[in-house]
Amino acid sequence: MIRYKTSQFSWFIAVLILGLVPLVRVLEADAATLQNRSIRAESSQVNANTIHVFNYNIPSISVVGSTVFEYCANDPLLQTPCTPPLGLDVSVSNLDSEAGDVGYSIHASTTSNRLILTRLPVLSIPGAAQYVFSNIINPSSIGTVYVRISLHASVDGTGPYGDGGGVVFSIANQLSTQAFVPPFLIFCVGVTVANDCSSSTGSNIDFGELSRTSPKTATSQFAGATNDATGFFTNIVANTMTSGNQVINPLIVPTNNAPGTSQFGLNMRANSNPSVGQDPVGIGSSTIQPDYAIPNQFILKDGVVTSSPLPTDFNAFTVSYLVNVAANQAPGVYNTTLTYVATAAF
């Protein structure tokens, strides 16, 4: 009986030893590389207070009580000594959010380059994990920064690690850009002009032979645009038609067409009596001053004829001229020069 019990006991011990061998091998195989690892730094500027976002996939089921993010200037290898990046500080960082394998807080033994997450040891959850940290101070010089990530069974990042891997980001010189938008005022005058002042033609108008029985009419055009904050306005320097000391009377107030009466004036609208002119065109904000904006009424005086109080795209205006003469108008060649001046503040 004694020999039988000893034999049975020895056999039982042998079974236990054989059963432990594969168990040890399984635990060793569980230490794997974290997959799909990445880090996103909100700023790559030297000394910036920034946010770092870590993403990776956990491949293994293992007991994890802490996760370590160790920032190094030399390499991402977990097996080699780490050289802390100069000026980096993660010691006062905040864990803003976590996803996937959760339940962490920042451990009190976190240092300037070694950020430790801690929790009660539990089985890790395989799959995607994300951790967002704020109040991280970037290194004080440009260069490459490596972050070694390791999962530990301990609560303080000490002892052997299980799954792990490395990520890298760069501190770089900042690229600054600047541009200058010059102030502009584009203005054109002619017998005809393109709505965008890309072309203009003519500078002389011939009314032909004046008549005491019917009016003579003609048109010219001007257009303009500006980016000035206060817009721009157009003035006219208006002289009536003369021949030597003979004068055609200027219309000093808006007045209807009256053949047989000495009249010279203008407006900027489409008229039916006489039939001449057209209304302004364009998407700009310039408008006609009231005295020049009455259809079929004409006036001639110095001053502002159009204005815009803000930056404006192009408007094109058609100026309609009216000439009438009395029966006793002295003969002669009558002419005048009208000057249009655009002004912006800048």
Side-chain angles (χ1 to χ4, degrees):
M1 292 296 291
I2 293 175
R3 286 196 298 271
Y4 174 75
K5 288 181 178 180
T6 301
S7 175
Q8 186 181 39
F9 181 74
S10 299
W11 174 80
F12 181 66
I13 292 297
V15 171
L16 286 178
I17 292 172
L18 289 172
L20 284 173
V21 172
L23 178 61
V24 172
R25 288 176 179 169
V26 170
L27 290 174
E28 289 175 348
D30 283 345
T33 300
L34 298 171
Q35 302 298 309
N36 300 321
R37 304 180 304 279
S38 69
I39 178 175
R40 176 168 57 85
E42 293 288 334
S43 172
S44 63
Q45 187 173 358
V46 168
N47 294 325
N49 186 316
T50 189
I51 294 172
H52 288 179
V53 181
F54 291 90
N55 287 279
Y56 51 81
N57 280 16
I58 299 173
S60 308
I61 298 176
S62 60
V63 174
V64 177
S66 58
T67 297
V68 177
F69 301 86
E70 187 173 32
Y71 291 71
C72 306
N74 50 326
D75 63 56
L77 303 177
L78 288 162
Q79 302 86 359
T80 63
C82 174
T83 302
L86 185 64
L88 175 89
D89 190 2
V90 300
S91 64
V92 291
S93 60
N94 304 308
L95 176 59
D96 288 353
S97 67
E98 55 181 345
D101 196 38
V102 298
Y104 287 106
S105 61
I106 295 178
H107 196 277
S109 60
T110 289
T111 66
S112 61
N113 75 306
R114 197 167 188 264
L115 200 166
I116 304 170
L117 294 183
T118 184
R119 69 182 180 190
L120 292 175
V122 296
L123 288 175
S124 61
I125 300 175
Q130 182 185 80
Y131 305 96
V132 179
F133 301 101
S134 63
N135 204 33
I136 289 179
I137 307 302
N138 274 346
S140 56
S141 60
I142 64 173
T144 300
V145 180
Y146 304 94
V147 186
R148 306 172 183 183
I149 307 169
S150 56
L151 279 56
H152 299 254
S154 66
V155 297
D156 59 358
T158 60
Y161 64 87
D163 295 346
V167 292
V168 61
F169 69 101
S170 178
I171 301 299
N173 286 324
Q174 298 300 293
L175 175 66
S176 62
T177 62
Q178 72 176 36
F180 173 65
V181 178
F184 72 83
L185 171 61
I186 301 173
F187 187 72
C188 56
V189 180
V191 176
T192 61
V193 301
N195 292 349
D196 61 357
C197 283
S198 57
S199 64
S200 63
T201 59
S203 58
N204 293 301
I205 296 173
D206 187 355
F207 287 95
E209 185 176 319
L210 301 178
S211 170
R212 62 187 177 86
T213 60
S214 61
K216 292 294 183 178
T217 62
T219 61
S220 69
Q221 294 181 318
F222 65 83
T226 186
N227 65 349
D228 180 66
T230 58
F232 82 106
F233 55 90
T234 305
N235 275 284
I236 185 173
V237 179
N239 299 303
T240 192
M241 301 184 73
T242 61
S243 177
N245 60 358
Q246 302 299 317
V247 176
I248 297 176
N249 293 334
L251 299 175
I252 59 175
V253 296
T255 304
N256 291 324
N257 171 37
T261 304
S262 179
Q263 294 180 317
F264 179 55
L266 59 92
N267 71 16
M268 288 179 239
R269 296 294 306 277
N271 303 283
S272 59
N273 181 25
S275 180
V276 63
Q278 68 180 52
D279 290 334
V281 296
I283 62 174
S285 56
S286 288
T287 57
I288 307 168
Q289 293 300 295
D291 283 349
Y292 295 90
I294 307 171
N296 301 324
Q297 293 196 356
F298 301 83
I299 186 172
L300 187 73
K301 64 177 182 178
D302 293 344
V304 177
V305 290
T306 67
S307 65
S308 171
L310 66 161
T312 177
D313 207 333
F314 284 96
N315 290 111
F317 296 91
T318 297
V319 183
S320 300
Y321 302 95
L322 169 74
V323 185
N324 280 305
V325 291
N328 62 349
Q329 188 74 44
V333 176
Y334 289 80
N335 57 62
T336 187
T337 298
L338 302 174
T339 303
Y340 295 87
V341 180
T343 305
F346 294 120

Coordinates of all heavy atoms in Angstrom, one line a residue, residues 42-108:
E42 N -2.0 68.7 -31.9 CA -2.8 69.8 -32.5 C -1.9 70.9 -32.9 O -2.2 71.7 -33.8 CB -3.8 70.3 -31.4 CG -4.9 69.4 -31.0 CD -5.9 69.3 -32.1 OE1 -6.1 70.2 -32.9 OE2 -6.6 68.2 -32.2
S43 N -0.7 71.0 -32.3 CA 0.3 72.0 -32.7 C 1.7 71.4 -32.8 O 2.0 70.6 -31.9 CB 0.3 73.2 -31.8 OG 1.4 74.1 -32.1
S44 N 2.4 71.7 -33.8 CA 3.8 71.3 -33.9 C 4.8 72.4 -33.6 O 6.0 72.3 -33.9 CB 4.1 70.7 -35.3 OG 3.9 71.7 -36.3
Q45 N 4.3 73.5 -33.0 CA 5.1 74.6 -32.7 C 5.9 74.4 -31.5 O 5.5 73.8 -30.5 CB 4.2 75.9 -32.6 CG 5.0 77.1 -32.4 CD 4.1 78.4 -32.4 OE1 2.9 78.2 -32.6 NE2 4.7 79.5 -32.3
V46 N 7.1 74.9 -31.5 CA 8.0 74.8 -30.3 C 7.3 75.5 -29.1 O 6.8 76.6 -29.2 CB 9.4 75.5 -30.6 CG1 10.2 75.7 -29.4 CG2 10.1 74.7 -31.6
N47 N 7.4 74.8 -27.9 CA 6.9 75.3 -26.7 C 5.4 75.5 -26.6 O 4.9 76.1 -25.7 CB 7.6 76.6 -26.3 CG 9.1 76.4 -26.0 OD1 9.5 75.4 -25.4 ND2 9.9 77.4 -26.3
A48 N 4.7 75.0 -27.6 CA 3.2 75.3 -27.6 C 2.5 74.4 -26.5 O 2.9 73.3 -26.3 CB 2.7 74.9 -29.0
N49 N 1.5 75.0 -25.9 CA 0.6 74.3 -25.1 C -0.4 73.6 -26.0 O -1.2 74.3 -26.6 CB 0.0 75.2 -24.0 CG -0.9 74.5 -23.0 OD1 -1.6 73.6 -23.4 ND2 -0.7 74.8 -21.7
T50 N -0.5 72.3 -26.0 CA -1.2 71.7 -27.1 C -2.0 70.4 -26.6 O -2.0 70.1 -25.4 CB -0.3 71.3 -28.3 OG1 -1.1 70.9 -29.4 CG2 0.7 70.2 -27.9
I51 N -2.6 69.8 -27.5 CA -3.4 68.5 -27.3 C -2.7 67.4 -28.1 O -2.4 67.6 -29.2 CB -4.8 68.7 -27.7 CG1 -5.5 69.8 -26.8 CG2 -5.6 67.4 -27.7 CD1 -6.9 70.1 -27.2
H52 N -2.6 66.3 -27.4 CA -2.1 65.1 -28.1 C -3.2 64.0 -28.1 O -3.8 63.7 -27.0 CB -0.8 64.5 -27.5 CG 0.4 65.4 -27.7 ND1 1.6 65.1 -27.2 CD2 0.5 66.5 -28.5 CE1 2.5 66.0 -27.6 NE2 1.9 66.9 -28.3
V53 N -3.5 63.4 -29.2 CA -4.5 62.4 -29.4 C -3.8 61.1 -29.8 O -3.2 61.0 -30.9 CB -5.6 62.8 -30.4 CG1 -6.7 61.7 -30.5 CG2 -6.2 64.1 -30.0
F54 N -4.0 60.0 -29.0 CA -3.4 58.7 -29.3 C -4.5 57.8 -29.7 O -5.6 57.7 -29.1 CB -2.7 58.2 -28.1 CG -1.4 58.9 -27.7 CD1 -1.5 59.9 -26.8 CD2 -0.2 58.5 -28.2 CE1 -0.3 60.6 -26.4 CE2 1.0 59.2 -27.9 CZ 0.9 60.2 -27.0
N55 N -4.2 57.0 -30.8 CA -5.1 56.0 -31.2 C -4.3 54.7 -31.5 O -3.2 54.7 -32.0 CB -5.8 56.3 -32.5 CG -6.9 57.4 -32.3 OD1 -8.0 57.1 -31.9 ND2 -6.5 58.7 -32.6
Y56 N -4.8 53.6 -31.1 CA -4.2 52.3 -31.4 C -5.3 51.2 -31.2 O -6.3 51.4 -30.5 CB -3.0 52.0 -30.6 CG -3.1 52.2 -29.1 CD1 -3.6 51.2 -28.3 CD2 -2.6 53.4 -28.5 CE1 -3.7 51.4 -26.9 CE2 -2.7 53.5 -27.1 CZ -3.3 52.5 -26.3 OH -3.3 52.7 -25.0
N57 N -4.9 50.0 -31.7 CA -5.8 48.8 -31.4 C -5.0 47.8 -30.5 O -3.9 47.5 -30.7 CB -6.1 48.1 -32.8 CG -7.2 48.7 -33.5 OD1 -7.5 49.9 -33.3 ND2 -7.7 48.0 -34.5
I58 N -5.7 47.4 -29.4 CA -5.2 46.4 -28.5 C -5.5 45.0 -29.0 O -6.6 44.7 -29.2 CB -5.8 46.6 -27.1 CG1 -5.5 48.0 -26.6 CG2 -5.3 45.6 -26.1 CD1 -6.2 48.4 -25.3
P59 N -4.4 44.2 -29.3 CA -4.6 42.9 -29.9 C -4.9 41.8 -28.8 O -5.4 40.7 -29.2 CB -3.3 42.6 -30.6 CG -2.3 43.3 -29.8 CD -3.0 44.6 -29.2
S60 N -4.5 42.0 -27.6 CA -4.5 40.9 -26.6 C -5.5 41.1 -25.4 O -5.8 42.2 -25.1 CB -3.1 40.7 -26.0 OG -2.1 40.6 -27.0
I61 N -5.9 40.0 -24.8 CA -6.6 40.0 -23.6 C -5.6 39.8 -22.5 O -4.9 38.7 -22.4 CB -7.7 39.0 -23.5 CG1 -8.7 39.2 -24.6 CG2 -8.4 39.0 -22.1 CD1 -9.8 38.1 -24.7
S62 N -5.4 40.8 -21.6 CA -4.4 40.6 -20.5 C -4.9 41.6 -19.4 O -5.6 42.5 -19.6 CB -3.0 40.9 -20.9 OG -2.9 42.3 -21.4
V63 N -4.3 41.3 -18.2 CA -4.6 42.2 -17.0 C -3.8 43.5 -17.2 O -2.6 43.4 -17.3 CB -4.3 41.5 -15.7 CG1 -4.5 42.5 -14.5 CG2 -5.2 40.3 -15.5
V64 N -4.5 44.6 -17.2 CA -3.8 45.9 -17.3 C -4.2 46.8 -16.2 O -5.4 47.0 -16.0 CB -4.1 46.5 -18.7 CG1 -3.4 47.9 -18.8 CG2 -3.6 45.6 -19.8
G65 N -3.3 47.4 -15.5 CA -3.6 48.3 -14.4 C -3.0 49.7 -14.7 O -3.3 50.7 -14.0
S66 N -2.1 49.8 -15.7 CA -1.6 51.1 -16.1 C -1.1 51.1 -17.6 O -0.8 50.0 -18.1 CB -0.4 51.5 -15.2 OG 0.6 50.5 -15.3
T67 N -1.2 52.3 -18.2 CA -0.7 52.4 -19.6 C 0.3 53.6 -19.5 O 0.0 54.7 -19.0 CB -1.8 52.7 -20.6 OG1 -2.7 51.6 -20.6 CG2 -1.3 53.0 -21.9
V68 N 1.5 53.4 -20.1 CA 2.5 54.4 -20.1 C 2.8 55.0 -21.4 O 2.9 54.3 -22.4 CB 3.8 53.9 -19.5 CG1 4.9 54.9 -19.5 CG2 3.6 53.3 -18.1
F69 N 2.8 56.4 -21.5 CA 3.2 57.1 -22.7 C 4.5 57.8 -22.4 O 4.6 58.8 -21.7 CB 2.2 58.1 -23.2 CG 0.8 57.5 -23.4 CD1 -0.1 57.3 -22.4 CD2 0.4 57.1 -24.7 CE1 -1.3 56.7 -22.6 CE2 -0.8 56.5 -24.9 CZ -1.7 56.3 -23.9
E70 N 5.6 57.2 -22.9 CA 7.0 57.8 -22.6 C 7.5 58.5 -23.8 O 7.7 57.9 -24.9 CB 7.9 56.6 -22.2 CG 9.2 57.2 -21.7 CD 10.1 56.1 -21.1 OE1 10.0 54.9 -21.6 OE2 10.9 56.4 -20.2
Y71 N 7.8 59.8 -23.7 CA 8.3 60.6 -24.7 C 9.8 60.6 -24.7 O 10.4 60.9 -23.7 CB 7.8 62.1 -24.6 CG 6.3 62.3 -24.8 CD1 5.4 61.8 -23.9 CD2 5.8 63.0 -25.9 CE1 4.0 62.0 -24.0 CE2 4.5 63.2 -26.1 CZ 3.6 62.7 -25.1 OH 2.2 62.9 -25.3
C72 N 10.4 60.3 -25.9 CA 11.9 60.2 -26.0 C 12.4 60.9 -27.2 O 11.7 61.0 -28.2 CB 12.3 58.7 -26.1 SG 11.6 57.7 -24.7
A73 N 13.6 61.4 -27.1 CA 14.2 62.1 -28.2 C 15.1 61.2 -29.1 O 15.5 61.6 -30.2 CB 15.1 63.3 -27.7
N74 N 15.4 59.9 -28.6 CA 16.3 59.1 -29.3 C 15.7 58.0 -30.2 O 16.1 57.8 -31.3 CB 17.3 58.5 -28.3 CG 16.6 57.8 -27.2 OD1 15.6 58.2 -26.7 ND2 17.2 56.7 -26.7
D75 N 14.7 57.3 -29.7 CA 14.1 56.2 -30.5 C 12.8 55.7 -29.9 O 12.5 56.1 -28.7 CB 15.1 55.0 -30.7 CG 15.4 54.3 -29.4 OD1 14.5 53.9 -28.7 OD2 16.6 54.2 -29.1
P76 N 12.0 54.9 -30.6 CA 10.7 54.4 -30.1 C 10.8 53.1 -29.4 O 9.7 52.5 -29.1 CB 9.8 54.4 -31.3 CG 10.8 54.0 -32.4 CD 12.1 54.6 -32.1
L77 N 12.0 52.5 -29.2 CA 12.1 51.1 -28.8 C 12.0 51.0 -27.3 O 12.6 51.7 -26.5 CB 13.5 50.6 -29.2 CG 13.8 50.7 -30.7 CD1 15.2 50.2 -31.0 CD2 12.7 49.9 -31.5
L78 N 11.1 50.2 -26.8 CA 10.8 50.0 -25.4 C 12.0 49.4 -24.6 O 12.1 49.6 -23.4 CB 9.6 49.1 -25.2 CG 8.2 49.8 -25.6 CD1 7.2 48.7 -25.8 CD2 7.7 50.7 -24.6
Q79 N 12.9 48.8 -25.3 CA 14.0 48.1 -24.6 C 15.2 48.9 -24.4 O 16.1 48.5 -23.7 CB 14.4 46.8 -25.5 CG 13.3 45.8 -25.7 CD 12.5 46.2 -27.0 OE1 12.7 47.2 -27.6 NE2 11.5 45.4 -27.2
T80 N 15.2 50.2 -24.9 CA 16.4 51.0 -24.8 C 16.2 52.2 -23.9 O 15.1 52.6 -23.6 CB 16.8 51.6 -26.2 OG1 15.8 52.4 -26.7 CG2 17.0 50.4 -27.2
P81 N 17.3 52.7 -23.3 CA 17.1 53.9 -22.4 C 16.5 55.1 -23.2 O 16.8 55.2 -24.4 CB 18.6 54.2 -22.0 CG 19.3 52.9 -22.1 CD 18.7 52.2 -23.3
C82 N 15.7 55.9 -22.5 CA 15.0 57.0 -23.1 C 15.7 58.3 -22.8 O 16.0 58.6 -21.6 CB 13.6 57.0 -22.6 SG 12.6 58.5 -23.1
T83 N 15.9 59.1 -23.8 CA 16.4 60.5 -23.6 C 15.3 61.5 -23.7 O 14.6 61.6 -24.7 CB 17.5 60.8 -24.7 OG1 18.5 59.9 -24.7 CG2 18.0 62.2 -24.5
P84 N 14.9 62.1 -22.6 CA 13.7 63.0 -22.6 C 14.0 64.2 -23.6 O 15.0 64.8 -23.6 CB 13.6 63.5 -21.1 CG 14.4 62.5 -20.4 CD 15.5 62.0 -21.2
P85 N 13.0 64.6 -24.3 CA 13.1 65.7 -25.2 C 13.2 67.0 -24.4 O 12.5 67.2 -23.4 CB 11.8 65.7 -26.0 CG 11.3 64.3 -25.9 CD 11.7 63.9 -24.6
L86 N 14.1 67.9 -24.8 CA 14.4 69.1 -24.0 C 13.1 70.0 -24.0 O 12.6 70.3 -25.1 CB 15.5 69.9 -24.6 CG 16.0 71.1 -23.9 CD1 16.5 70.7 -22.5 CD2 17.1 71.8 -24.7
G87 N 12.7 70.4 -22.9 CA 11.6 71.4 -22.8 C 10.2 70.7 -22.7 O 9.2 71.4 -22.4
L88 N 10.1 69.4 -23.1 CA 8.8 68.8 -23.1 C 8.3 68.7 -21.6 O 9.0 68.4 -20.7 CB 8.9 67.4 -23.7 CG 7.6 66.5 -23.6 CD1 6.7 66.8 -24.8 CD2 7.9 65.1 -23.4
D89 N 7.0 68.8 -21.4 CA 6.4 68.7 -20.1 C 5.0 68.1 -20.2 O 4.1 68.8 -20.7 CB 6.4 70.0 -19.3 CG 6.0 69.8 -17.9 OD1 5.8 68.6 -17.4 OD2 5.9 70.8 -17.2
V90 N 4.8 66.8 -19.8 CA 3.5 66.2 -19.7 C 3.0 66.0 -18.3 O 2.0 65.4 -18.0 CB 3.5 64.9 -20.5 CG1 3.8 65.1 -21.9 CG2 4.4 63.9 -19.8
S91 N 3.8 66.6 -17.3 CA 3.5 66.3 -15.9 C 2.2 67.0 -15.4 O 1.6 66.5 -14.4 CB 4.6 66.8 -15.0 OG 4.8 68.2 -15.1
V92 N 1.7 68.0 -16.1 CA 0.5 68.6 -15.7 C -0.6 68.5 -16.7 O -1.6 69.2 -16.8 CB 0.7 70.1 -15.4 CG1 1.5 70.3 -14.2 CG2 1.3 70.8 -16.6
S93 N -0.5 67.4 -17.5 CA -1.5 67.2 -18.6 C -2.8 66.7 -18.0 O -2.9 66.2 -16.9 CB -0.9 66.2 -19.6 OG -0.7 64.9 -19.0
N94 N -3.9 66.8 -18.8 CA -5.2 66.3 -18.4 C -5.6 65.2 -19.4 O -5.4 65.3 -20.6 CB -6.2 67.5 -18.5 CG -5.8 68.7 -17.6 OD1 -5.5 68.5 -16.5 ND2 -5.8 69.9 -18.2
L95 N -6.3 64.2 -18.8 CA -7.0 63.2 -19.7 C -8.3 63.7 -20.0 O -9.3 63.6 -19.2 CB -7.0 61.9 -18.9 CG -7.8 60.7 -19.7 CD1 -7.1 60.4 -21.0 CD2 -7.8 59.5 -18.8
D96 N -8.5 64.3 -21.2 CA -9.8 64.9 -21.6 C -10.8 63.9 -21.9 O -12.0 64.0 -21.7 CB -9.6 65.9 -22.8 CG -8.9 67.1 -22.3 OD1 -8.6 67.3 -21.1 OD2 -8.5 67.9 -23.2
S97 N -10.4 62.8 -22.6 CA -11.4 61.7 -23.0 C -10.6 60.4 -23.2 O -9.4 60.4 -23.5 CB -12.2 62.1 -24.2 OG -11.3 62.2 -25.4
E98 N -11.4 59.3 -23.1 CA -10.9 58.0 -23.4 C -12.0 57.2 -24.0 O -13.1 57.4 -23.8 CB -10.4 57.3 -22.1 CG -11.4 57.3 -21.0 CD -10.9 56.6 -19.7 OE1 -9.9 56.0 -19.7 OE2 -11.6 56.8 -18.7
A99 N -11.5 56.2 -24.8 CA -12.5 55.4 -25.5 C -11.9 54.0 -25.7 O -10.7 53.9 -25.9 CB -12.9 56.0 -26.9
G100 N -12.7 53.0 -25.8 CA -12.3 51.6 -25.9 C -11.9 51.0 -24.6 O -12.8 50.7 -23.8
D101 N -10.7 50.9 -24.3 CA -10.2 50.4 -23.0 C -10.1 51.5 -22.0 O -9.2 52.3 -22.0 CB -8.8 49.7 -23.2 CG -8.5 48.8 -22.0 OD1 -9.4 48.1 -21.5 OD2 -7.3 48.8 -21.6
V102 N -11.1 51.6 -21.1 CA -11.3 52.9 -20.3 C -11.2 52.6 -18.8 O -10.9 51.5 -18.3 CB -12.6 53.5 -20.6 CG1 -12.7 53.9 -22.1 CG2 -13.8 52.6 -20.3
G103 N -11.4 53.7 -18.0 CA -11.4 53.6 -16.6 C -10.2 54.2 -16.0 O -9.9 54.0 -14.8
Y104 N -9.4 55.0 -16.8 CA -8.1 55.5 -16.3 C -8.2 56.9 -15.7 O -9.1 57.6 -16.0 CB -7.2 55.6 -17.5 CG -6.7 54.2 -18.0 CD1 -7.1 53.7 -19.2 CD2 -5.7 53.5 -17.3 CE1 -6.6 52.5 -19.7 CE2 -5.2 52.3 -17.8 CZ -5.7 51.8 -19.0 OH -5.2 50.6 -19.4
S105 N -7.2 57.2 -14.9 CA -6.9 58.6 -14.5 C -5.4 58.7 -14.6 O -4.6 57.7 -14.7 CB -7.4 58.8 -13.1 OG -6.8 58.0 -12.2
I106 N -4.9 59.9 -14.4 CA -3.4 60.2 -14.5 C -2.8 59.9 -13.1 O -3.2 60.4 -12.1 CB -3.1 61.6 -15.0 CG1 -3.6 61.8 -16.4 CG2 -1.7 61.9 -14.9 CD1 -3.4 63.1 -17.0
H107 N -1.8 59.1 -13.2 CA -1.1 58.7 -11.9 C -0.2 59.8 -11.4 O 0.4 60.6 -12.2 CB -0.2 57.4 -12.2 CG 0.2 56.7 -10.9 ND1 1.3 57.1 -10.2 CD2 -0.3 55.7 -10.3 CE1 1.4 56.3 -9.2 NE2 0.4 55.4 -9.2
A108 N -0.1 59.9 -10.1 CA 0.7 60.9 -9.5 C 2.2 60.9 -9.8 O 2.9 61.9 -9.7 CB 0.5 60.9 -7.9

